[in-house]
Amino acid sequence: EVNRNDRVCRRYQGNRNPFIDHPHLVEQYFGKPEVLSQEKLGYNCTSDSFVDTGTCKGLKPGSLMFIAFNSQNPDQFLFYAVDEIPAGATIFVTDNAWTGTKFRSNEGVLKIGVHNQNIPAGTIFGYGTPRGEAWVHFQSGGGSFALATAGDTLITYCLSSDGRPLHLNALSFDGGWLPPSSNENSFGTKGSALPGTLPHNCAVSLPHRDNYEFVGNINGNRNNMLSSLTAPMNWNGSDNFRITMDDSEEVSPSETFNLFMILCLPIFFYL
């Protein structure tokens, strides 16, 4: 199969089958295989059971991205839906550190349930704000979720059918990512390793400030949007002013716009 994948890519298609190169992704996206006949495992494509039994419902890295947060009490954050967010999906946000293989459990998790309608791409919704109440509901997913003004990490994920996290995005405002480590105590309550499955344009590392907001433009294709959303130069932070994020607004991702204007911030500040 590997040799065939090489030949097909080189001679015909110019692209590769990712499930040949990374077979562990099969179960992550399609669930556990079933016994079809004579102890052979596979997937019955005509069966109604061929569905995503995890909480992701088709979400992938970069499907939603942070565009603002306040770590000064009360905690708040805003998401921008890069892709349509499917009805019935369950999303998790944590300030627990990722060690390189698992999450620590010394902080907290928020559980976000998407109501019975898809969230259109371009929608802005968030936590601790009325924006998005029609789309999602928040509840505790365990522990105590509380952003530290001294610096912290936000990681968003959903769960595959076997319960493993599928990382969707990550944001650090502690000044950088720490190297993976089997010593959980090396992360404290601020730092985290960057999940290795996240593409580079699905995570952003910012210098320490208590509150941040995205002030760049979003336009072009999906990769361009993600690159803009994760460019540190497109973020403004402050230790003195909270970010205003209570206005309701839906935005088409095909438009060129400035989120600074959408959020209608009354202040300007510099890093």
Side-chain angles (χ1 to χ4, degrees):
E1 288 296 326
V2 172
N3 290 336
R4 180 184 301 171
N5 201 24
D6 291 337
R7 290 195 300 272
V8 169
C9 178
R10 185 174 63 253
R11 297 179 182 178
Y12 307 108
Q13 294 182 182
N15 57 20
R16 303 179 63 82
N17 181 343
F19 298 111
I20 300 299
D21 293 331
H22 306 284
H24 66 280
L25 293 177
V26 175
E27 289 190 15
Q28 183 168 327
Y29 282 94
F30 300 108
K32 295 284 187 181
E34 57 184 288
V35 177
L36 297 180
S37 63
Q38 298 180 348
E39 299 184 352
K40 292 182 179 180
L41 297 178
Y43 297 90
N44 184 353
C45 297
T46 64
S47 170
D48 291 337
S49 64
F50 189 69
V51 296
D52 179 5
T53 57
T55 74
C56 300
K57 309 300 181 186
L59 292 171
K60 55 189 177 182
S63 285
L64 71 168
M65 299 292 292
F66 291 107
I67 58 169
F69 69 86
N70 288 312
S71 69
Q72 294 173 352
N73 289 330
D75 290 348
Q76 293 177 299
F77 59 75
L78 284 180
F79 281 129
Y80 175 80
V82 174
D83 302 322
E84 183 176 74
I85 308 301
T90 302
I91 303 162
F92 302 88
V93 178
T94 184
D95 55 349
N96 283 315
W98 178 254
T99 67
T101 57
K102 64 180 181 178
F103 284 112
R104 295 194 71 194
S105 58
N106 60 319
E107 298 186 76
V109 180
L110 290 176
K111 183 177 181 181
I112 309 170
V114 181
H115 295 322
N116 58 358
Q117 55 183 331
N118 294 341
I119 302 177
T123 300
I124 296 172
F125 63 99
Y127 170 71
T129 167
R131 303 183 73 157
E133 288 182 345
W135 301 108
V136 297
H137 61 275
F138 289 84
Q139 64 185 84
S140 173
S144 177
F145 180 89
L147 296 179
T149 54
D152 215 332
T153 302
L154 287 163
I155 300 177
T156 308
Y157 64 97
C158 53
L159 297 175
S160 61
S161 57
D162 61 0
R164 290 184 295 177
L166 173 63
H167 301 106
L168 302 176
N169 66 54
L171 181 151
S172 169
F173 59 104
D174 187 40
W177 303 102
L178 298 177
S181 174
S182 58
N183 178 10
E184 294 187 14
N185 294 327
S186 66
F187 297 99
T189 59
K190 300 191 301 179
S192 173
L194 176 65
T197 56
L198 277 178
H200 71 277
N201 61 356
C202 293
V204 59
S205 175
L206 302 170
H208 173 253
R209 294 288 187 273
D210 290 352
N211 313 306
Y212 265 101
E213 44 108 13
F214 175 78
V215 297
N217 295 322
I218 301 180
N219 63 291
N221 60 32
R222 187 178 190 272
N223 283 336
N224 289 341
M225 288 193 287
L226 292 175
S227 295
S228 180
L229 287 162
T230 53
M233 68 181 68
N234 289 336
W235 288 77
N236 274 350
S238 175
D239 294 329
N240 301 315
F241 301 100
R242 288 177 60 81
I243 307 302
T244 301
M245 54 180 74
D246 291 337
D247 295 333
S248 179
E249 185 83 30
E250 290 184 14
V251 185
S252 168
S254 63
E255 298 175 356
T256 301
F257 62 94
N258 190 308
L259 281 173
F260 182 79
M261 300 304 296
I262 291 172
L263 295 176
C264 302
L265 296 179
I267 55 175
F268 294 83
F269 43 82
Y270 298 91
L271 292 177

